[in-house]
Amino acid sequence: MPKISTKSWLDNDTFAAWTFLAPAVILLGLFVLWPIAYLFYLSFTAGSFTSTGTYWVGFKNYWRLLLNPDFWQVIGNTVYFTVASVIPSLVIPLGLAVLLNRSMALRGVLRSAYFLPSIISLVAAGLGFRWLFQTSGPVNAFLNIFGIPAISWLGDTFWAMPVLIILSIWKQLGFNMVVFLAGLQAIPPSRYEAAELDGANGWRQFWHITLPGLRPTLIFATVTTAIFTLRSFEQVYVMTGGGPLNTTNLLVYYIYQEAFGQFDFGYAAAAATVLLAMALVLVYLQLRTWEEEV
């Protein structure tokens, strides 16, 4: 029986493929995979990057996380900030996208106007919002017209987080709207025409045609928005510094404080590993849902 020859990885096609992929694979390994591996290793160590060096402590840093009430407060702040930011950041852009998709007039101008916040630096936006919501700022001046006393927005334990959430929603609104517009334009118009012939009103068309047609887009927008909010740092750094009373301290800012404020790099690496795990769970859920769609 003749021996079936197998294709060697050194044949021309495979060698060419690896040749073209090599630069990207090397860069991916150097700037993504190696930092992640080193972060994971660092989370099991203590010490500093001085002459004393680092030493192995096992799961001690993770145990400290579990027993630290400040860490759990930060986790609670992050979950609250993420949920309260993601839901409006999907609902509002979806509504705007549906309206703009139906109206041809000024669509390009309005789309550019709504997308503008997405290209503005978060630091600049944070400084602008801090000026707007300061005690003697325009927001309180507007409220004073109606006899409402000034509110210390960024110094109040209740109002500081909603201000950060408003900034996050405003920053993400334009990007998600453009994504939803692209998804809406991919839905065949014939489906809406058939629904109109069957007597379906606008709400039924939206519920039974628009939402199912946007399901992959919704999954993508939800995951990207959640990851955007999880990595929020600039607005906390510029506007509140984690205060008042740690009520706006988010996980990324907490990691920054522990690493570069307390120089506790092992503990900060453990907290960063938790953040990485949360992001990976979101990506995994997206991939699983995407596979079910396919």
Side-chain angles (χ1 to χ4, degrees):
M1 187 175 182
K3 185 178 179 181
I4 300 175
S5 61
T6 58
K7 207 172 185 180
S8 171
W9 70 276
L10 288 175
D11 64 16
N12 292 335
D13 293 339
T14 306
F15 183 76
W18 279 106
T19 301
F20 287 115
L21 286 174
V25 171
I26 292 172
L27 291 175
L28 180 68
L30 286 176
F31 296 105
V32 178
L33 299 180
W34 165 245
I36 291 175
Y38 186 70
L39 171 72
F40 188 66
Y41 160 76
L42 198 63
S43 67
F44 294 98
T45 66
S48 62
F49 299 111
T50 60
S51 57
T52 58
T54 59
Y55 53 91
W56 186 265
V57 295
F59 288 94
K60 183 178 179 180
N61 290 321
Y62 292 97
W63 186 248
R64 287 175 58 196
L65 286 176
L66 291 175
L67 298 179
N68 191 343
D70 288 339
F71 173 74
W72 289 110
Q73 183 183 7
V74 168
I75 290 293
N77 294 342
T78 304
V79 172
Y80 166 42
F81 175 78
T82 301
V83 174
S85 298
V86 168
I87 295 176
S89 296
L90 296 174
V91 175
I92 298 174
L94 178 58
L96 291 173
V98 171
L99 293 175
L100 287 179
N101 191 53
R102 292 179 179 178
S103 175
M104 297 297 295
L106 299 177
R107 180 192 294 178
V109 175
L110 291 174
R111 183 168 52 188
S112 300
Y114 285 123
F115 188 75
L116 187 62
S118 299
I119 62 176
I120 295 176
S121 166
L122 257 176
V123 174
L127 291 173
F129 268 70
R130 190 176 71 177
W131 171 72
L132 287 172
F133 285 93
Q134 63 183 336
T135 306
S136 57
V139 174
N140 278 330
F142 176 76
L143 294 177
N144 288 337
I145 298 175
F146 303 96
I148 301 175
I151 300 173
S152 179
W153 296 98
L154 300 178
D156 188 274
T157 55
F158 178 80
W159 289 111
M161 183 65 84
V163 173
L164 294 182
I165 292 171
I166 292 172
L167 171 57
S168 179
I169 295 170
W170 177 80
K171 191 74 172 63
Q172 194 69 12
L173 185 147
F175 176 81
N176 285 346
M177 189 200 66
V178 171
V179 170
F180 286 136
L181 269 175
L184 287 171
Q185 293 171 8
I187 300 175
S190 58
R191 296 184 183 178
Y192 294 100
E193 295 171 0
E196 289 180 0
L197 292 175
D198 291 337
N201 56 25
W203 172 250
R204 288 185 177 273
Q205 291 180 31
F206 175 79
W207 189 257
H208 296 287
I209 298 175
T210 303
L211 279 184
L214 283 178
R215 185 176 173 85
T217 307
L218 279 168
I219 296 169
F220 170 78
T222 301
V223 173
T224 54
T225 304
I227 292 176
F228 170 79
T229 55
L230 281 176
R231 57 159 293 277
S232 296
F233 169 80
E234 294 92 336
Q235 56 266 55
V236 180
Y237 182 83
V238 171
M239 296 175 65
T240 64
L245 300 178
N246 213 39
T247 53
T248 62
N249 196 355
L250 303 180
L251 190 51
V252 176
Y253 189 77
Y254 180 74
I255 294 168
Y256 163 79
Q257 284 182 315
E258 295 298 324
F260 301 103
Q262 305 297 327
F263 296 100
D264 195 348
F265 293 104
Y267 180 77
T273 304
V274 173
L275 176 63
L276 175 63
M278 295 169 66
L280 290 177
V281 168
L282 290 173
V283 174
Y284 171 75
L285 292 176
Q286 180 193 20
L287 293 177
R288 283 294 302 271
T289 310
W290 190 274
E291 289 176 359
E292 292 176 2
E293 286 293 314
V294 176

